[in-house]
Amino acid sequence: MTGGLYSPLHLRSGAVLGNRIAKAAMEENMAGEGQLPDPRLLELYRRWSAGGTGLLITGNVMVHAEALTGPAGIVLDDASPLEPFTRWAQAAKSGGSTVWMQINHPGRQVQSDMPGVVWAPSAVGVELGRLSKNFGRPTAMTAEQIEATVERFAVTATRAEQAGFDGVEIHAAHGYLLSQFLSPLVNKRTDAWGGSLENRARMLLDVVRSIRAVVSPTFAVAVKLNSADFQRGGFDVDDARRVIAMLEPLGVDLVELSGGSYESPAMTGRPADERTRAREAYFLDLARELVATSPLPLMLTGGVTRRETAEKVVADGVAVVGMGTALSLDPDLPLLWRERREAGRSMPPVTWSNKALASAASMARVRHQLRRVARGGSPRPGTLPAYALVSERLGQRRALRRYRAWLAERRNAAAPAGR
């Protein structure tokens, strides 16, 4: 097959994707000792690569050891040993896939029981009603902290290239730190990082510039961006269009479009906005608006499960189709589609009335499938969401104890002698 979904994509850096199907980032929560890639993670990515996916984007890797989305998150900074990451890249490329590392800082989306820091552009907490207490109260970042964080992104990207990854994807969506700076609901600053969209985009643009300055010209740099936050008065499709235009001169290869945040979890199909409810390709309507004017290739992620839908996305001008849940259930899906066969497994949506809790359960259920595949087993789509959520939280408690001990050891090692 020579066209459409299975045609190669040539990017401006010189990178070539073998086909237009991408495994979008899913937060695996599979860090081993030292917040490093666990052997299970290598098996999982080896499995996806063998399944024919053109591009594999890792779950988010943290740039700051003191700021993790959860205690089982992976950290790659200037003190991390590189060899486990090299093995991860090799496993992900073993079947011919291209692999990019998604790099991220959670900002204010940090669990309240986590040690470390909870930073945001402004001291505006996550608002989820009675569930708000599950997140730490953020402090507004200083200019020095912003600049240090930009440098952390560049360090992580450099080390990802050294480890053998083909590129990085900068996470500026789903309510994490860079997305928080873009949002007028969270970013209330009155300095050079707040106010106008140009100022709110400054940190993201600085991150891109810093990375491009230290990696090879052939190393891919992508950005994950919300097409909209799905919150009244938040980042919207017109903002996304303008930010994409700002990114174009900086050497970005691809922009992945998603949407939502913990406060409006559109990325799991349960947004506050009815436009994306109960259908595949949640953000396709918004993507069509952006494709018409985008100077960069776009990738669309959200709800695609059938080849017919994927082909429609590409036919509408989107360069790459991203999938998460579908590939957690059928790692061989691209090969099945080549043979004109559809997936044999599916999971019904979690329709609990509490959208935030439903989103958490939905993601926990997907990660349950990932752990099964990583152990060499088969997915079990009938897993009850409540079981997956409770099971994951028990595992998170164990991971939290390990992370606390590791972070304390790191701090002690970094403390001046005689302190």
Side-chain angles (χ1 to χ4, degrees):
M1 187 169 298
T2 58
L5 200 57
Y6 288 91
S7 63
L9 177 64
H10 295 259
L11 301 174
R12 65 195 301 181
S13 62
V16 181
L17 306 184
N19 59 49
R20 306 303 183 95
I21 302 171
K23 195 284 293 180
M26 292 179 280
E27 190 173 26
E28 304 96 355
N29 283 343
M30 287 187 197
E33 293 293 329
Q35 308 306 128
L36 297 170
D38 187 89
R40 294 173 300 165
L41 205 56
L42 275 61
E43 178 57 33
L44 180 60
Y45 277 79
R46 193 175 290 113
R47 184 78 174 78
W48 274 321
S49 190
T53 303
L55 171 63
L56 299 178
I57 305 177
T58 73
N60 54 20
V61 172
M62 298 292 108
V63 303
H64 189 181
E66 297 263 358
L68 275 61
T69 54
I74 292 171
V75 175
L76 177 57
D77 62 9
D78 55 4
S80 302
L82 208 56
E83 202 252 340
F85 293 92
T86 300
R87 293 199 303 268
W88 190 10
Q90 290 170 344
K93 295 197 284 188
S94 60
S97 300
T98 295
V99 59
W100 295 349
M101 180 185 290
Q102 186 184 83
I103 57 179
N104 191 19
H105 191 294
R108 66 179 187 154
Q109 289 185 169
V110 175
Q111 298 167 20
S112 56
D113 56 359
M114 290 282 284
V117 301
V118 183
W119 288 347
S122 306
V124 178
V126 176
E127 182 49 60
L128 288 173
R130 63 184 178 85
L131 296 179
S132 301
K133 64 181 184 299
N134 293 341
F135 293 89
R137 299 304 301 175
T139 57
M141 295 176 74
T142 66
E144 292 75 20
Q145 288 167 342
I146 292 171
E147 290 163 4
T149 302
V150 170
E151 175 62 19
R152 287 188 180 98
F153 273 95
V155 167
T156 300
T158 300
R159 305 212 71 206
E161 182 176 22
Q162 292 168 349
F165 286 82
D166 300 305
V168 291
E169 180 184 63
I170 301 159
H171 202 336
H174 296 176
Y176 294 116
L177 182 65
L178 297 177
S179 180
Q180 291 161 31
F181 269 86
L182 289 169
S183 170
L185 299 178
V186 184
N187 186 346
K188 304 295 186 181
R189 301 177 74 99
T190 57
D191 60 7
W193 289 277
S196 67
L197 180 61
E198 287 74 15
N199 283 1
R200 287 184 278 120
R202 177 180 173 183
M203 188 175 184
L204 169 59
L205 302 181
D206 284 350
V207 166
V208 174
R209 290 189 192 99
S210 296
I211 290 174
R212 263 286 161 236
V214 295
V215 299
S216 303
T218 55
F219 188 73
V221 176
V223 172
K224 186 166 188 170
L225 187 70
N226 274 0
S227 53
D229 288 346
F230 298 99
Q231 292 178 277
R232 190 180 301 277
F235 188 83
D236 61 22
V237 67
D238 289 328
D239 293 331
R241 180 181 293 108
R242 291 170 61 193
V243 171
I244 292 169
M246 295 177 202
L247 291 170
E248 193 278 333
L250 305 184
V252 170
D253 286 276
L254 181 79
V255 173
E256 178 185 0
L257 298 175
S258 189
S261 65
Y262 285 10
E263 292 173 320
S264 183
M267 61 281 194
T268 62
R270 296 298 307 279
D273 189 321
E274 293 291 333
R275 293 177 74 178
T276 69
R277 190 182 299 280
R279 60 182 174 82
E280 284 194 76
Y282 308 142
F283 311 113
L284 183 54
D285 289 347
L286 295 176
R288 286 195 191 101
E289 296 180 39
L290 294 170
V291 163
T293 59
S294 176
L296 294 172
L298 300 181
M299 169 177 161
L300 179 67
T301 298
V304 176
T305 61
R306 297 178 300 138
R307 176 173 175 153
E308 178 185 359
T309 306
E311 289 178 332
K312 179 174 178 54
V313 169
V314 172
D316 282 346
V318 175
V320 181
V321 180
M323 293 185 294
T325 300
L327 286 169
S328 76
L329 295 174
D330 280 289
D332 296 322
L333 193 57
L335 294 181
L336 292 176
W337 283 356
R338 269 189 181 274
E339 298 168 359
R340 295 289 174 178
R341 292 189 289 154
E342 287 295 337
R345 304 180 181 94
S346 62
M347 285 194 301
V350 181
T351 56
W352 300 349
S353 59
N354 186 308
K355 291 185 176 67
L357 203 56
S359 175
S362 177
M363 292 187 286
R365 190 174 52 171
V366 170
R367 287 190 286 262
H368 182 78
Q369 313 310 317
L370 300 184
R371 289 191 291 272
R372 290 184 61 84
V373 175
R375 292 194 299 266
S378 298
R380 185 176 290 169
T383 303
L384 294 175
Y387 170 81
L389 186 59
V390 171
S391 176
E392 180 168 88
R393 289 187 174 176
L394 290 174
Q396 292 282 73
R397 288 182 187 176
R398 294 189 293 271
L400 181 57
R401 289 194 293 270
R402 290 197 304 270
Y403 173 57
R404 285 183 183 276
W406 174 79
L407 190 59
E409 184 179 339
R410 263 210 170 195
R411 289 169 172 170
N412 289 336
R419 179 176 166 180

